[in-house]
């Protein structure tokens, strides 16, 4: 038996009464293995929970929160556990409840005239996309983890992904929330309204709060018409300056048709080529960078192709592209996207690494990269830079891999703080943000006060204190 206090045993009994015996897992259960809920995706942290509770509806979530609040038991909300900043797993104390939302996965309603879909928080993103498609619409949020991340987690982190350049972050796609507060009250905010000026914007406060202000139980999300045609191109570009020039041309010529603009560095693509040779990465040996572009057209494929070819011709003439391929069909297009989405996994295969999800004004990215590459090479000779990301949004994954023969874990242990400081100082100098996508979690909690405006930070602390005075919702995440 695990050494638990009588209060902790009473909480577990209460949770079992609320959600059912089978939906409260503890280390004392025969053959218990709670690692899927306790280990983060990057395998950087293995926590230990008091219990994993899996509520089946909003009333159960509210009752669980009330039971936890009455005993000061901390709760870590969790969706698909694909987060990259250690925000959705418990700490090592054995005192925190993981609240896994994955049983709450229903599509509650689709309103075609209002162009909205209402889903429960544990709905896997890919299932939400499929439900929208089945109804004849597009739900544009798209990211590499879409097969297992949940809309609750996407909202909790304000996830970005590869369509932000046209449709915005998860925040811009949300029209309403249902939330259980830290006191176990339910806020019924699933309005689906596009206009509502009746006071403070609580929806946007909850989005991106990483489970520290409330537990999202359901959301009303925007739907879009499906494009008539979607084309994907892969271009070799000679420099980051050229990639930014190409982005300008793509905006000019495709307008709102530009739905994806991803940049990928040569070393990042070499890792995909090395670990997944069957994917056949095109053009990666030709130039230091490649760009993946997507054109979504509301007319037809001939129109889309004509526009795309004209864009690429102009780019070749201007010298910002040296070679390009346009996917002939959907299978080829998916193959190109699959290469892009495989960079994260290829990096994992190569060994432990240091990840960044920074943003900088697009115009300043070439200078940032040149400057920061040089600084890093001077300070940590031999480091390998796995740079890629959402250039259309000014968001780079400026990742750092150990030198070739080095021991990955030892490299991370020794250099992570030094490299983070170096990169974040550069981000500040260039007017950027230390997290554009993945959030703060536990990983950047000590860095945030060094880079966030102090007045903004004080307002954040005041909000947290007001909404969660007991500090039971995901303590130690976002704010220390
Ligand atoms: P979890 O990891 O379970 O939780 C993430 C955070 O949200 C935690 O703080 C948690 O407490 C909170 N949370 C979860 N559910 C709720 C809820 N119902 N209410 C309140 N808070 C909640 N991210 C991007 O932004 N863009 C990308 O392109 C991208 N690509 C990725 C590719 C791969 C291969 C992987 C592994 C991850 C990627 N991510 C990306 C990161 C991750 O997928 C996103 O952060 C995603 O939004 C997390 O969803 P999740 O359901 O897995 O949340
Ligand atoms: C991506 O854009 O692929 C992600 O944000 C994941 C990552 O940074 O590895
Ligand atoms: Zn990303």
């Amino acid at each position: 038996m695990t050494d638990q206090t009588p209060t902790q045993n009473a909480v577990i009994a209460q949770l079992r009464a609320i959600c059912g015996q089978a939906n409260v897992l503890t280390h004392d259960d025969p053959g218990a293995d709670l690692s899927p809920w306790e280990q983060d995706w990057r395998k950087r942290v293995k926590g230990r929970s008091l219990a994993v509770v899996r509520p089946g509806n909003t009333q159960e979530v509210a009752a669980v929160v009330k039971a936890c609040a009455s005993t000061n038991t901390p709760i870590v909300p969790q969706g698909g556990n694909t987060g990259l900043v250690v925000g959705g797993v418990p700490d090592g104390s054995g005192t925190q409840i993981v609240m896994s939302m994955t049983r709450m996965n229903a599509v509650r309603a689709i309103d075609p005239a209002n162009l909205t879909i209402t889903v429960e928080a544990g709905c896997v993103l890919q299932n939400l996309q499929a439900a929208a498609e089945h109804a004849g619409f597009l739900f544009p949020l798209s990211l590499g983890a879409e097969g297992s991340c949940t809309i609750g987690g996407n909202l909790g982190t304000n996830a970005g992904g590869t369509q932000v350049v046209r449709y915005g972050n998860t925040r811009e796609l949300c029209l309403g929330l249902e939330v259980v507060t830290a006191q176990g009250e339910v806020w019924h905010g699933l309005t689906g309204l596009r206009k509502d000026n009746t006071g403070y914007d609580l929806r946007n406060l909850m989005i991106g709060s990483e489970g520290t202000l409330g537990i999202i139980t359901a959301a009303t999300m925007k739907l879009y018409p499906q494009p008539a045609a979607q084309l994907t191109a892969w271009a070799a570009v000679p420099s980051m300056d050229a990639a930014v020039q190409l982005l300008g041309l793509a905006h000019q010529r495709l307008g709102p048709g530009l739905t994806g603009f991803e940049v990928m560095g040569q070393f990042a693509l070499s890792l995909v080529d090395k670990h997944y040779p069957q994917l056949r990465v095109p053009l990666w040996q030709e130039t230091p960078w490649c760009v993946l572009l997507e054109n979504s057209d509301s007319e037809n494929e001939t129109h889309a192709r004509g526009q795309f070819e004209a864009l690429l011709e102009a780019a070749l003439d201007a010298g910002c592209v040296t070679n390009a391929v346009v996917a002939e069909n959907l299978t080829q297009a998916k193959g190109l996207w699959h290469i892009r989405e495989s960079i994260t996994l290829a990096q994992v295969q190569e060994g432990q690494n240091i990840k960044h999800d920074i943003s900088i004004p697009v115009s300043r990215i070439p200078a940032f990269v040149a400057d920061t590459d040089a600084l890093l090479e001077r300070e940590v000779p031999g480091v390998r830079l796995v740079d890629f990301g959402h250039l259309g949004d000014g968001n780079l994954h400026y990742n750092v891999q150990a030198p070739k023969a080095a021991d990955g874990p030892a490299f991370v242990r020794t250099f992570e703080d030094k490299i983070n400081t170096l990169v974040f100082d550069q981000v500040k100098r260039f007017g950027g943000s230390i997290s554009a996508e993945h959030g703060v979690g536990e990983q950047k909690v000590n860095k945030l006060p060094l880079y966030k405006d102090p007045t903004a930070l004080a307002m954040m602390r005041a909000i947290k204190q007001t909404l969660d005075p007991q500090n039971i919702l995901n303590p130690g995440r976002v704010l220390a």
Side-chain angles (χ1 to χ4, degrees):
M1 285 283 284
T2 315
D3 201 13
Q4 278 149 204
T5 64
T7 308
Q8 287 173 332
N9 286 328
V11 172
I12 291 170
Q14 250 183 306
L15 302 190
R16 288 198 159 126
I18 297 164
C19 299
Q21 181 82 14
N23 294 313
V24 180
L25 317 175
T26 72
H27 286 280
D28 290 336
D29 300 340
D33 175 16
L34 305 191
S35 42
W37 296 274
E38 294 180 336
Q39 168 97 71
D40 76 306
W41 191 89
R42 294 181 67 203
K43 299 201 167 31
R44 296 292 297 273
V45 166
K46 173 96 163 68
R48 184 175 174 87
S49 63
L50 176 62
V52 175
V53 58
R54 300 185 298 168
N57 57 50
T58 305
Q59 291 69 37
E60 287 182 11
V61 174
V64 167
V65 174
K66 280 198 166 125
C68 289
S70 70
T71 51
N72 264 320
T73 305
I75 303 169
V76 181
Q78 189 182 88
N81 196 14
T82 66
L84 299 173
V85 290
V86 192
V89 289
D91 67 14
S93 66
T95 61
Q96 303 187 328
I97 298 286
V98 173
M99 184 180 284
S100 169
M101 302 301 290
T102 53
R103 282 181 68 227
M104 291 184 60
N105 57 14
V107 174
R108 287 196 190 161
I110 294 182
D111 183 342
N114 199 42
L115 287 173
T116 50
I117 182 166
T118 298
V119 292
E120 292 182 341
C123 183
V124 168
L125 175 56
Q126 208 165 58
N127 297 343
L128 169 46
Q129 294 165 344
E133 192 180 341
H134 187 71
F137 295 103
L138 169 77
F139 181 65
L141 182 64
S142 179
L143 45 137
E146 63 198 21
S148 45
C149 66
T150 63
I151 193 67
N154 302 148
L155 287 157
T157 57
N158 185 29
T162 54
Q163 302 274 295
V164 175
V165 68
R166 164 71 177 88
Y167 299 102
N169 297 292
T170 310
R171 186 189 300 288
E172 282 82 44
L173 300 173
C174 180
L175 291 176
L177 291 179
E178 181 186 88
V179 173
V180 171
T181 68
Q183 293 71 36
E185 304 301 330
V186 182
W187 166 39
H188 297 282
L190 294 173
T191 62
L193 297 176
R194 277 156 216 269
K195 294 183 130 183
D196 177 8
N197 283 345
T198 53
Y200 305 139
D201 193 336
L202 300 176
R203 180 185 72 214
N204 275 336
L205 190 56
M206 289 294 160
I207 298 171
S209 66
E210 301 183 46
T212 62
L213 298 181
I215 298 173
I216 297 166
T217 49
T220 299
M221 307 300 294
K222 288 184 193 170
L223 294 174
Y224 289 84
Q226 283 175 358
Q230 219 165 22
L231 285 185
T232 303
W234 184 285
V237 298
S239 64
M240 187 56 101
D241 266 316
V244 170
Q245 199 188 340
L246 175 61
L247 175 64
L249 276 179
H251 275 308
Q252 247 174 40
R253 291 183 170 251
L254 306 180
L258 179 65
T259 47
F261 195 98
E262 297 287 310
V263 73
M264 298 155 290
Q266 191 170 49
F267 181 61
L269 291 175
S270 81
L271 291 184
V272 179
D273 182 71
K274 174 177 169 186
H275 296 289
Y276 305 109
Q278 72 280 12
L279 297 185
R280 304 165 72 86
V281 182
L283 311 182
W284 71 271
Q285 279 156 312
E286 293 189 12
T287 44
W289 301 93
C290 284
V291 167
L292 184 62
L293 304 97
E294 186 183 75
N295 180 18
S296 298
D297 194 286
S298 56
E299 291 190 27
N300 53 48
E301 178 157 346
T302 314
H303 183 256
R305 206 167 277 281
Q307 260 194 333
F308 230 10
E309 280 167 4
L311 164 66
L312 291 172
E313 259 171 48
L316 283 162
D317 286 347
C320 58
V321 163
T322 57
N323 200 354
V325 291
V326 179
E328 286 300 322
N329 51 44
L330 197 62
T331 313
Q332 278 184 13
K334 280 189 174 158
L336 294 177
W337 277 106
H338 188 49
I339 293 168
R340 155 64 182 90
E341 299 296 11
S342 300
I343 296 174
T344 303
L345 287 170
Q347 231 195 312
V348 173
Q349 296 296 323
E350 187 68 8
Q352 268 202 13
N353 52 73
I354 299 166
K355 264 173 136 28
H356 299 116
D357 62 310
I358 57 174
S359 58
I360 311 276
V362 171
S363 50
R364 307 191 74 186
I365 283 186
F368 169 86
V369 170
D371 246 54
T372 315
D373 282 7
L375 258 178
L376 267 172
E377 272 148 28
R378 199 184 66 208
E379 295 295 319
V380 194
V383 285
R384 298 174 300 163
L385 298 170
V386 187
D387 293 351
F388 65 101
H390 320 286
L391 185 61
D393 320 324
N395 170 200
L396 268 196
H397 296 302
Y398 189 82
N399 296 343
V400 183
Q401 199 93 30
K404 202 157 187 221
D407 168 349
F411 167 78
V412 170
R413 271 196 310 278
T414 315
F415 289 106
E416 185 158 37
D417 193 60
K418 177 178 178 168
I419 289 177
N420 284 344
T421 301
L422 186 154
V423 171
F424 293 164
D425 284 354
Q426 283 287 95
V427 166
K428 188 172 180 180
R429 202 159 78 75
F430 280 84
S433 165
I434 64 167
S435 176
E437 280 202 317
H438 303 156
V440 178
E442 186 176 292
Q443 218 156 56
K444 297 178 205 134
V445 82
N446 294 325
K447 294 288 181 200
L448 194 67
L450 307 176
Y451 299 98
K452 186 94 182 167
D453 177 274
T455 307
L457 206 59
M459 287 193 280
M460 283 169 61
R461 288 192 204 289
I463 289 165
K464 172 71 176 170
Q465 170 64 27
T466 302
L467 295 187
D468 181 17
Q470 288 174 267
N471 194 23
I472 59 164
L473 292 182
N474 220 359
R477 274 70 199 265
V478 182
L479 294 169

